[in-house]
Amino acid sequence: MSNRKLLSLSDDGEFKKLFEDFYIPLCVFAHKYVDDIELSADIVQDCFMSSRPAHFSASLSQNRA
């Protein structure tokens, strides 16, 4: 049996931590495919925005600025 903790995307703290931990590495990964840093950031932002809790969108957008 696995001891891995399931991530609760409805929890603001956990979702924010996920965003903070993976935003830049995912931008770098996306950049390898699209070769445009702004487009890479937009792609990653869109992925996070589509999976975020509804009440979390404002603080997610502020982190990117």
Side-chain angles (χ1 to χ4, degrees):
M1 182 170 284
S2 175
N3 289 332
R4 287 187 279 172
K5 182 182 174 208
L6 295 176
L7 177 67
S8 171
L9 292 182
S10 63
D11 181 285
D12 284 352
E14 288 189 32
F15 193 81
K16 182 176 181 180
K17 175 100 171 96
L18 180 75
F19 179 80
E20 290 171 348
D21 288 350
F22 289 99
Y23 179 74
I24 292 175
L26 287 172
C27 285
V28 171
F29 179 79
H31 186 257
K32 291 177 184 179
Y33 290 91
V34 296
D35 199 29
D36 180 324
I37 196 66
E38 290 297 319
L39 180 57
S40 302
D42 287 344
I43 291 168
V44 174
Q45 181 79 13
D46 288 347
C47 290
F48 274 103
M49 295 300 283
S50 67
S51 63
R52 85 211 180 281
H55 61 278
F56 196 69
S57 61
S59 59
L60 194 65
S61 297
Q62 290 170 356
N63 277 348
R64 186 165 174 234

